[in-house]
Amino acid sequence: MRTHRALAAVLLAATLTAPTTAQPAHAAQTIGYPTFSGPPIPAPPVGYHTGSTMRAIYDAESSGTDFWLDRLLARPGNDPAGTLLMTRGRGLFMYTHDPAVIGFGGKAAYWDDLSGQHAYSIAVSPGAFTEQVGSRLQKPSHYKAVFTSGAIRLELTKFITHNNVAVTNLAIVNTSGAPATLRLNATSPYATTVAGDELTGSRAVKNNLTTIQPRLSGDGFAAGTGGLSRSMTVGAGQTVTTKVVMGFPTTEIPESRTEYQAYRGHSPATAFATHVRAYNRWWADNIPYIDVPDAAIKKSVYYRWWLMRFNHLDVDIPGQDYQFPVSIEGVTGYNNAIALTQPMHIDDLKYLRDPVYSYGPWLSAGQTSRGGRFMDNPGDPENWSNSYTQYISEAAWRSYQLHGGQPAIAGLLARYAEGDAKGQLSFYDTNNNGVIEYDWGALTGNDADAVSFDWRPGRLDRAETAYVWSGAVAAQRAYALIGNTAKAAEMQALADRIRTGVLNTLWNPDRQLLEHKHVPTNTHVPWKEINNYYPFSVGMMPGTEQYKQALRLFASPAEYPVFPFYTANQKDKAEAAAAGHPGSNNFSTINSTVQFRLYASVLRHYPNQWMTAEDYKKLLHWNAWAQYVGGNTQWPDANEFWANWNAGAQRIDYRSWIHHNILGSSNWTVVEEVAGLRPRTDAKVELWPIGIGWSHFAVNNLRYRNMDLSIVWDDPADGITRYPGVPQGYSVYLNGTRAFTVDRLTRAVYDPATGAVTLPAGGNLTHSTAITGLQAAQEVVQNSARMVDVFAKAGVDLTSARPNLAQGATASASHTAADTSVGGAVDGFPINAPIWGSSGSPNGTDWYQLDFGRSQTVQEARLYFRDDRAGNRYRAPAAYTVQYWTGQAWADVSGQTRTPETPRANYNQVRFTPVSTDRLRVRLTHAAGFHTGLTELKVYGLSTLPTTGR
């Protein structure tokens, strides 16, 4: 959590306790289960479908404008979680929302708060219009409100489209017996220039990452220096409708301009229907249907799906900031792609059917971390800076196992993961023992909740090293998959070194615990957190009885309660408080995510007498309960953190100020742990469920590489058939066809090619059949337009297996900045550093040259220009041209076709008439006031056809 930005520097020693021997099992985690309250939870309009249930739900309502997920997550009246507006676009949203304003009042944001002002407001006169708070109805796709003044009633409906168009529909109702003439005036601080019947403007967003060109218009409104205005006469007892539309276009999202024009031309009713249907169709296209026995938990699952969408940024800003779709930690709070929580988000995002949602965050981290340890996105350096408590590579590898793709994708992931693992050790492991050290709790994501930092001043060898190990393992597996045996062996050796370092340094045989170690005195730290158990969470600990003894503390809720899911061991926290270091003792979905990971790993790989599946079930229920204000299912609100747990009243007395914050994750727990799906790389399906006693559940229409996969459980013991058309038992469906059924929840490995099912833990197979077509991860071809575009911007061509002729070429340049190198642009890796740069050059034009050493036929170049907005030295050039050596002189290649036509930060493609030459160069005309930098130059010969596939 982030309640404290600094920790006290004064720490003191604590008395070591006597060695602890193994304790017998006893009544663990006595808290029981929570009670939910609230109105009835809306049920889907159709029953379970063995194909896509989400599609069936959408199709049942697609001709109207009232959809199940909108009803499920609707928030009527005065919302106790605040006035936040749920509807948003890919970049545009309301950082704060003022419902008293007709229009979009509050603080308008494009990736972050623009300037603390309204997007636009609409004044209606004469009269003083007052909002009727009880008439508010907010749904994920739109917001409705009523304003009244005398006999005039304004019925407002507003929404933000995917491509950043803010629309306000107004129905003006005259309830009197006489006609009324009203004047409407719409104004925006972002659009003040008259352009025909529109108002326009230009505004740089925070940190000058991009520029928006706002446009404001309205049905029948005239544009003037005082805003948009329109007079309307509404007859007695009549209703007149109109709308105001504001687009926030950017050059990099051309759809934002066309979508604005489209909505401008729609009638209010058509605009609303078009948006609401498109918004809800996204659910059908992207999320799996999940059904569980408890309606409150089921609703929390769909609320978490919405959180992923609400806290997602997809603005394609050219450069190495926010060019990749990425998950944002709290768009109404810190609002940055913070490394700490990216892997937690990836774990849930990978179950969206389009892989771009889970691949985007790890691509972004890899592109912006200079080939080393993963750091927070540089687009918002004001909020945090880095974190070693992240497992991005581990989560990214699971996303790849699930979705797959060309070997080049796995190779890119391997290189990012290698850079992170080595970079973490290089930066933090100053005593070279394979264990990271740190002396300040803020970077753990736990702040003053992390009790160990208060024990003594000085650096600590930390158990969070486990995540460096899991990153090295991810790199090893990815390298092995693509056949790079040398790199795989290197990364395995690194992982082994880290594991040895953790066991030798952090295992305390006297107390039989993993403990951080105080480096100055070489003393184990007796004060602990859940962080001490990360080595168990990632599976790096040996599964011997000796090491499993460390898990005994989870038998006591006085030390590690299932709920509240605190960071610190509560016994140690009390000792620290008694010693004058109370710190904070908050809890959040970050902590439950960590607990879920630990329990899931332990129950499978470290079975013991202290931690049970019943504990896991309690964690699942309490995690859902904490999302709801007061346990009332009407009001889900995932705050950044919670505090002041009132055990007697079973109430959270403090919910922090950041609302609807994605932070941690939990939907993966239902898919992977309860339903049991285990992502793997071969062409098999593995289930390994944690049995928590649920009578039924369904996870429907996951995208599992190149097929659709569903998992259904209907307990045969109770004789009740809950899913029509689905037999009782534990079943898997591929592309809507039943693959196999087992009579109980049990571990199962299914080979679709043969229909064979192995049951390592027993069970009776009641049905199985072969279903051909499931591909291994590396056999999948990702060829959607979006995936091709995103990976091209990361330096990977998904459309061709052509070699990059620039690698191996000898590079030179007319000028090279001292802190760059010509080799930085031909390492095959277009990241934000290392680069070639021309900073300091006296020339208005410079060149960068490749000598192939022999004649090559070339027809395409891909140039990746650096835009260092913070350093303010490099921008994309004003112009560039590709030249070749004729044998006697340099000449421009013919037929140059550039995409985009105007040079842009990061990815630029130029195709030209094939030419044979031994040398190629690019002449670069610098942008005024800047120089040009290349993060990479790739050169290709004749095209080859890609392999077929997805």
Side-chain angles (χ1 to χ4, degrees):
M1 285 87 75
R2 307 259 164 59
T3 52
H4 296 268
R5 289 293 184 185
L7 297 178
V10 180
L11 308 173
L12 50 84
T15 303
L16 297 179
T17 58
T20 305
T21 58
Q23 300 175 359
H26 58 82
Q29 305 303 336
T30 55
I31 190 171
Y33 291 90
T35 300
F36 296 93
S37 62
I41 295 174
V46 298
Y48 185 80
H49 192 282
T50 55
S52 171
T53 304
M54 291 305 303
R55 173 61 61 180
I57 290 170
Y58 176 80
D59 288 347
E61 301 177 322
S62 61
S63 62
T65 57
D66 183 27
F67 291 89
W68 174 59
L69 261 168
D70 270 344
R71 297 192 301 274
L72 180 70
L73 299 178
R75 308 176 79 92
N78 192 13
D79 192 334
T83 59
L84 181 70
L85 190 67
M86 297 175 77
T87 179
R88 68 158 293 163
R90 56 193 292 187
L92 176 68
F93 66 101
M94 297 304 294
Y95 191 82
T96 63
H97 174 228
D98 184 353
V101 174
I102 301 171
F104 286 82
K107 297 179 180 180
Y110 189 92
W111 96 259
D112 205 347
D113 181 16
L114 284 169
S115 61
Q117 296 172 287
H118 303 330
Y120 65 87
S121 60
I122 306 169
V124 183
S125 60
F129 286 87
T130 303
E131 186 207 3
Q132 304 304 305
V133 175
S135 295
R136 289 180 193 163
L137 179 61
Q138 172 154 222
K139 296 181 178 180
S141 67
H142 66 279
Y143 179 97
K144 291 188 174 184
V146 173
F147 295 80
T148 59
S149 178
I152 303 299
R153 174 183 173 94
L154 302 181
E155 296 177 351
L156 172 149
T157 302
K158 62 185 176 183
F159 51 88
I160 301 175
T161 71
H162 177 66
N163 286 304
N164 307 317
V165 183
V167 180
T168 301
N169 286 350
L170 286 176
I172 304 174
V173 183
N174 182 358
T175 64
S176 74
T181 298
L182 300 173
R183 184 171 182 82
L184 281 65
N185 187 250
T187 58
S188 170
Y190 305 113
T192 57
T193 301
V194 177
D197 58 354
E198 296 177 281
L199 294 174
T200 64
S202 179
R203 181 64 63 107
V205 306
K206 182 180 175 181
N207 295 335
N208 291 315
L209 296 190
T210 190
T211 300
I212 54 175
Q213 298 95 31
R215 306 182 75 88
L216 181 68
S217 60
D219 293 356
F221 284 75
T225 56
L228 301 176
S229 60
R230 176 184 179 180
S231 292
M232 303 177 64
T233 298
V234 185
Q238 292 186 344
T239 299
V240 177
T241 61
T242 189
K243 74 178 191 303
V244 174
V245 179
M246 187 169 189
F248 286 75
T250 60
T251 301
E252 58 269 16
I253 305 179
E255 303 94 331
S256 58
R257 178 67 63 90
T258 56
E259 193 159 287
Y260 163 73
Q261 294 294 350
Y263 275 87
R264 185 184 178 197
H266 291 326
S267 69
T270 299
F272 177 69
T274 300
H275 164 71
V276 171
R277 290 168 187 166
Y279 182 93
N280 282 278
R281 187 168 58 248
W282 187 93
W283 301 120
D285 292 342
N286 285 285
I287 67 171
Y289 176 76
I290 293 181
D291 182 54
V292 300
D294 191 306
I297 295 178
K298 181 174 180 177
K299 179 172 179 175
S300 76
V301 166
Y302 289 91
Y303 171 67
R304 298 293 303 184
W305 289 138
W306 173 76
L307 286 181
M308 288 179 228
R309 192 172 179 180
F310 182 70
N311 290 275
H312 193 77
L313 185 69
D314 185 12
V315 287
D316 199 17
I317 295 174
Q320 274 93 10
D321 295 299
Y322 294 114
Q323 182 142 37
F324 301 92
V326 70
S327 185
I328 296 295
E329 189 205 299
V331 295
T332 60
Y334 300 123
N335 197 27
N336 194 17
I338 296 172
L340 167 71
T341 50
Q342 289 301 289
M344 301 178 181
H345 302 169
I346 292 170
D347 273 343
D348 272 358
L349 288 166
K350 70 178 183 288
Y351 289 114
L352 297 181
R353 290 174 52 82
D354 189 336
V356 76
Y357 290 104
S358 57
Y359 284 16
W362 61 259
L363 283 171
S364 179
Q367 284 289 296
T368 59
S369 297
R370 304 182 179 186
R373 61 194 176 97
F374 291 148
M375 300 179 69
D376 297 349
N377 193 289
D380 189 9
E382 296 87 349
N383 284 325
W384 297 85
S385 57
N386 60 9
S387 177
Y388 59 76
T389 60
Q390 51 79 18
Y391 49 96
I392 292 173
S393 299
E394 176 193 338
W397 174 245
R398 283 193 295 270
S399 75
Y400 180 78
Q401 287 181 301
L402 189 79
H403 289 288
Q406 291 89 318
I409 296 177
L412 187 63
L413 171 56
R415 194 162 178 182
Y416 290 157
E418 176 186 358
D420 178 53
K422 290 180 176 178
Q424 297 286 359
L425 291 176
S426 175
F427 191 81
Y428 292 112
D429 181 20
T430 61
N431 58 8
N432 200 34
N433 63 354
V435 182
I436 61 175
E437 310 141 43
Y438 209 70
D439 64 352
W440 184 42
L443 286 186
T444 68
N446 309 125
D447 290 354
D449 304 320
V451 66
S452 60
F453 289 104
D454 292 326
W455 187 61
R456 288 179 183 171
R459 291 176 296 125
L460 306 180
D461 278 321
R462 301 289 300 180
E464 292 92 343
T465 304
Y467 290 160
V468 186
W469 177 85
S470 73
V473 169
Q476 183 274 328
R477 291 174 178 171
Y479 277 130
L481 188 73
I482 64 174
N484 192 333
T485 55
K487 273 293 182 185
E490 179 188 347
M491 297 313 298
Q492 184 62 61
L494 179 62
D496 292 343
R497 175 174 171 262
I498 295 168
R499 183 203 290 259
T500 298
V502 168
L503 295 180
N504 289 345
T505 305
L506 304 184
W507 179 254
N508 185 342
D510 294 334
R511 283 191 287 266
Q512 294 182 297
L513 292 169
L514 275 170
E515 295 176 335
H516 309 306
K517 181 169 279 189
H518 187 241
V519 175
T521 60
N522 196 35
T523 306
H524 283 103
V525 180
W527 292 351
K528 300 169 292 299
E529 300 94 28
I530 189 69
N531 308 41
N532 290 64
Y533 290 87
Y534 288 176
F536 287 96
S537 299
V538 301
M540 74 175 291
M541 293 299 293
T544 63
E545 291 303 316
Q546 174 195 13
Y547 291 116
K548 287 197 287 188
Q549 288 297 318
L551 301 168
R552 68 189 183 275
L553 303 187
F554 286 86
S556 172
E559 299 209 42
Y560 286 110
V562 160
F563 186 80
F565 19 74
Y566 295 115
T567 297
N569 177 293
Q570 293 300 284
K571 181 179 178 182
D572 297 338
K573 193 68 173 175
E575 288 186 14
H581 298 283
S584 56
N585 204 27
N586 305 322
F587 54 100
S588 79
T589 312
I590 278 184
N591 305 96
S592 63
T593 303
V594 170
Q595 292 273 46
F596 278 126
R597 281 169 51 82
L598 175 62
Y599 270 91
S601 177
V602 165
L603 292 173
R604 288 194 180 94
H605 304 296
Y606 306 97
N608 62 79
Q609 57 187 317
W610 306 290
M611 302 171 73
T612 69
E614 184 75 11
D615 298 335
Y616 187 93
K617 183 178 181 180
K618 290 177 181 178
L619 178 61
L620 194 68
H621 280 251
W622 280 105
N623 180 68
W625 181 89
Q627 310 291 319
Y628 297 112
V629 178
N632 186 328
T633 59
Q634 182 73 74
W635 309 115
D637 185 18
N639 303 88
E640 184 204 6
F641 67 92
W642 306 294
N644 301 340
W645 165 243
N646 188 324
Q650 291 207 325
R651 184 179 67 233
I652 296 173
D653 284 339
Y654 178 76
R655 305 179 76 92
S656 63
W657 64 276
I658 303 178
H659 302 278
H660 304 304
N661 191 1
I662 187 66
L663 210 54
S665 61
S666 59
N667 282 2
W668 60 272
T669 65
V670 178
V671 180
E672 296 177 26
E673 318 309 349
V674 179
L677 180 66
R678 311 306 297 156
R680 51 192 292 158
T681 54
D682 60 15
K684 295 182 180 180
V685 177
E686 180 179 358
L687 305 181
W688 192 352
I690 295 173
I692 60 172
W694 276 353
S695 60
H696 63 281
F697 57 74
V699 176
N700 171 254
N701 207 41
L702 297 168
R703 190 66 184 172
Y704 191 65
R705 302 192 204 120
N706 62 314
M707 300 188 83
D708 296 329
L709 181 147
S710 299
I711 306 168
V712 189
W713 164 245
D714 190 354
D715 192 349
D718 58 19
I720 301 172
T721 299
R722 292 178 174 83
Y723 302 109
V726 179
Q728 293 187 309
Y730 192 30
S731 301
V732 162
Y733 286 75
L734 289 175
N735 284 352
T737 298
R738 182 160 62 115
F740 71 89
T741 301
V742 187
D743 68 341
R744 69 196 69 175
L745 281 177
T746 188
R747 188 178 184 187
V749 180
Y750 166 67
D751 185 348
T754 64
V757 179
T758 57
L759 304 171
N764 297 307
L765 187 67
T766 62
H767 170 83
S768 70
T769 189
I771 300 177
T772 60
L774 182 65
Q775 294 176 320
Q778 71 274 20
E779 295 172 340
V780 175
V781 174
Q782 299 288 356
N783 57 13
S784 71
R786 190 70 202 282
M787 286 287 281
V788 169
D789 176 66
V790 164
F791 273 92
K793 289 166 179 170
V796 173
D797 184 1
L798 297 183
T799 66
S800 172
R802 296 173 296 169
N804 171 22
L805 302 178
Q807 284 196 275
T810 300
S812 58
S814 56
H815 178 88
T816 301
D819 58 345
T820 72
S821 68
V822 291
V826 287
D827 60 1
F829 211 28
I831 56 177
N832 55 347
I835 70 169
W836 165 78
S838 60
S839 179
S841 169
N843 310 316
T845 299
D846 278 296
W847 51 260
Y848 183 88
Q849 177 177 317
L850 298 175
D851 186 338
F852 302 124
R854 62 185 179 89
S855 181
Q856 299 277 11
T857 301
V858 294
Q859 68 169 11
E860 179 184 333
R862 298 187 176 194
L863 302 98
Y864 297 80
F865 295 122
R866 181 75 174 109
D867 190 332
D868 68 333
R869 295 176 177 91
N872 217 30
R873 294 187 300 169
Y874 296 113
R875 293 292 186 274
Y880 68 89
T881 189
V882 178
Q883 299 182 317
Y884 74 104
W885 181 248
T886 66
Q888 295 179 322
W890 289 99
D892 293 351
V893 299
S894 62
Q896 297 187 43
T897 303
R898 299 172 182 83
T899 305
E901 292 183 5
T902 302
R904 184 180 297 177
N906 199 32
Y907 177 54
N908 296 259
Q909 181 186 51
V910 55
R911 290 174 173 162
F912 43 87
T913 303
V915 61
S916 294
T917 183
D918 64 347
R919 278 174 275 178
L920 199 76
R921 76 177 182 182
V922 183
R923 288 189 61 84
L924 304 151
T925 301
H926 305 311
F930 296 97
H931 287 89
T932 304
L934 277 169
T935 66
E936 195 68 19
L937 172 62
K938 291 174 177 278
V939 178
Y940 297 100
L942 299 177
S943 297
T944 58
L945 294 175
T947 56
T948 59
R950 182 182 176 192

